[in-house]
Amino acid sequence: MASVDLPPKLARMSRGPLRLLGWGVPMGPLVLLRTRGRRSGLPRTAPVALLKFEGRQWLVSPFGETQWVRNARADGRAGLGRGRRLRPVRLTEIDDDRAPRVLRAYERKFRIVPFVRDAFATEKPRPVFLVEPES
């Protein structure tokens, strides 16, 4: 399965949150996700929206199979947070009956963001990951 490229405008706009989160500036539900590159092994960082739902934390890729999704699938471990404080987490992809509920909650919470609204206007698979502390 080929990875999805982000809309060009979003790719340009994500540089700002990436930099601000890297400096430790709080940006609501946005956090940094640091994964290990599946081929290079180098750290890869992306801003993501963390969803708190049913007492757990979730990551959803509204744009489908992005690079961070492919890296998370390859390793399952990541860092999540902002600034230099990234807590180690395990990312477990969910494809059972919880996934549709999480997707609906994500869409409801973040539909005010135009890119999320546009992404959910199309019918395509959206990976859902359960975030758990690294043990």
Side-chain angles (χ1 to χ4, degrees), residues 7-40:
K9 188 174 181 182
L10 179 60
R12 283 190 307 276
M13 288 178 64
S14 71
R15 293 181 200 146
L18 183 64
R19 183 169 286 140
L20 290 171
L21 290 165
W23 291 335
V25 176
M27 296 190 69
L30 287 182
V31 293
L32 291 177
L33 174 69
R34 181 162 298 145
T35 57
R36 185 171 27 166
R38 62 194 175 281
R39 292 186 189 142
S40 68

Side-chain angles (χ1 to χ4, degrees), residues 8-117:
K9 188 174 181 182
L10 179 60
R12 283 190 307 276
M13 288 178 64
S14 71
R15 293 181 200 146
L18 183 64
R19 183 169 286 140
L20 290 171
L21 290 165
W23 291 335
V25 176
M27 296 190 69
L30 287 182
V31 293
L32 291 177
L33 174 69
R34 181 162 298 145
T35 57
R36 185 171 27 166
R38 62 194 175 281
R39 292 186 189 142
S40 68
L42 298 173
R44 302 295 180 201
T45 306
V48 294
L50 185 64
L51 174 67
K52 294 178 182 177
F53 177 66
E54 294 183 347
R56 300 191 131 181
Q57 295 183 330
W58 304 87
L59 290 179
V60 172
S61 177
F63 304 101
E65 191 169 322
T66 59
Q67 296 297 333
W68 75 258
V69 168
R70 296 177 84 191
N71 290 341
R73 283 178 180 155
D75 189 8
R77 293 176 295 161
L80 204 59
R82 63 178 194 264
R84 293 185 180 159
R85 295 186 177 187
L86 299 180
R87 62 185 167 100
V89 296
R90 294 227 27 95
L91 300 177
T92 306
E93 189 166 11
I94 303 299
D95 58 1
D96 57 21
D97 62 333
R98 295 175 290 177
R101 293 193 326 263
V102 172
L103 286 169
R104 280 192 301 276
Y106 187 94
E107 183 179 13
R108 273 193 311 271
K109 183 165 184 166
F110 300 116
R111 70 176 160 227
I112 191 136
V113 179
F115 294 110
V116 172
R117 192 172 46 245

